[in-house]
Amino acid sequence: MKKNISTISIFIIISLMMISCRQTKTSESFTAMNTFMTVSVYSSSAKKSQTACQQIQNRIQELEKILSTTLPESDVYYINHSKILPSPLKPELKELLEYSADMHKKTYGAFNPALYPVIREWGFTTEEYKIPSEQKIQQLLLNTDFSVFYDSEFLPNSKINEGMELDFGAIGKGYAADEAVAILKENGITSALLDFGGNIQTVGKKPDGSLWNVGIRNPWGKSAVCALKVESKAVVTSGGYERFFEDENGNRYIHIFDPKNGHPCDGDLESVTIVCPSGKYADTLSTALFVMGKEAAVEWWKNNPDFDFILITKNHELIYSEGLNKFIEPIYHFVSVETVHR
Ligand code: FAD
Ligand code: MG
C-alpha cells in the first residue's frame, strides 16, 4: 500500500512538472519595413511570450522610424534630404554606418548602402519603372562612393557628400532580427522562429528538442527547393525573383544593383542564402555575394569562412558550403549539386 502511494505521488509530481514545462506557441504577425513579419515564440508562460512579441513589434517599428528612406520623420530621410548627420546620432544608426563601412570595404564595394539615387532613378521606390540613360546613371554613380566613410567617426552634424543618399534596405531586416533575438533572450525565451520575409531567424531548437526545418524558396515556382535544418541561426535569402520589372522584350531588371555599373544585377545567380548566427551579417552577405556572382562568391567564402552559403544558379545548379552537408536536403531536381570545401 505504502509503495502504491509513493508511486502515485511520483507520477503526480512528474505530471505536474510536465504540465508546467509544456511550451505553448504564441504567434504575432504585423507589417513593418514593407514586409509581412511573423514572430513565433515557444514558452511555458504565455504572458512572457506575449510581452516578448509586443516588445519586438515595438522595437521594429522604432527601427523603421530611424532607417526608412520613405518616412519623412526618419533619421535616414533627414540625412538624405539635409546631407547632414543628425544630432544626436542615434546609436543604431552609428552602428549601422560603421558596420556598413566595414562590410563595404570587406566585400570590395559589392555591398553599398549609398546606391539609393541610382535605384530610385530606375523607379524601384515609386514602382514607376524606367531604364535611365547611361549618362544619367554615370552621373548618379559619382555620388555613391561609400569608401568616403572608411575610418570616419560619424560625428553628429557632420556633412555628407552633396548628392549622396543612404538606403539600409539590404541590411535593415537582418539588423531588426538581431534586435528581436536580444529581446527574446532578455525575456528568457529559448525557442523561437522569426520570419521577416526572406529573412528567417531561429532561436535555439524547436520545443521538442529537434532542429528547425527551414525551406529555401524556389526561384522558379512556389514550393521550396531545399530543406535546411538549423539551430540558433539566421537563414537569409536574396534573389531577383520577387522585386523586378520587365521591358517589352521580356528582359528582367531586379532590385539588387551592381554598384560598379549602376545597373540591376544580371549575373549567373538566381538566389543566395546565407546561414550564420548574425542576422545583419547574413543580410549584408546575401546581397553582396549575389552581386559578386558564383565564382567570386565562392572565392570570398574561402577567404572568410565564418558562415555557410547556398547558391542557386540560373542554370539550375545547387552549390553549398561544406558546413551544411549534414543539414541540407535538396527537394528540387537540380542539374547538379556541388558541395564546396575550403
Ligand atoms: P536584399 O538583397 O537584402 O536587399 C536589396 C535591397 O537593398 C534593394 O531593394 C535596395 O534597396 C538595396 N540594394 C540594392 N543593391 C544593393 C547593393 N549592391 N548593396 C546594398 N544595398 C543594395 N520598401 C518599400 O517598398 N516601401 C517602404 O516603405 C519600405 N520601407 C523600408 C524600411 C526599412 C527600415 C527597410 C529595412 C526596408 C524597407 N523597404 C521598403 C524595403 C523592403 O523591405 C525591401 O524589399 C527589402 O529591404 C529588400 O530586402 P530583400 O531581403 O528582398 O533584399
Ligand atoms: Mg540583404
Side-chain angles (χ1 to χ4, degrees), residues 206-222:
K206 282 183 0 195
D208 65 4
S210 63
L211 300 178
W212 296 102
N213 210 359
V214 177
I216 306 301
R217 265 282 307 270
N218 183 346
W220 312 285
K222 282 216 158 74

Side-chain angles (χ1 to χ4, degrees), residues 20 71 74 77 107-108 127-128 169 186 204-205 237 288 296-297 336 338:
S20 67
L71 289 177
S74 89
Y77 190 96
T107 61
Y108 315 109
E127 295 188 9
E128 285 164 17
E186 276 161 25
K205 293 182 187 168
T237 301
S336 65
E338 185 192 343

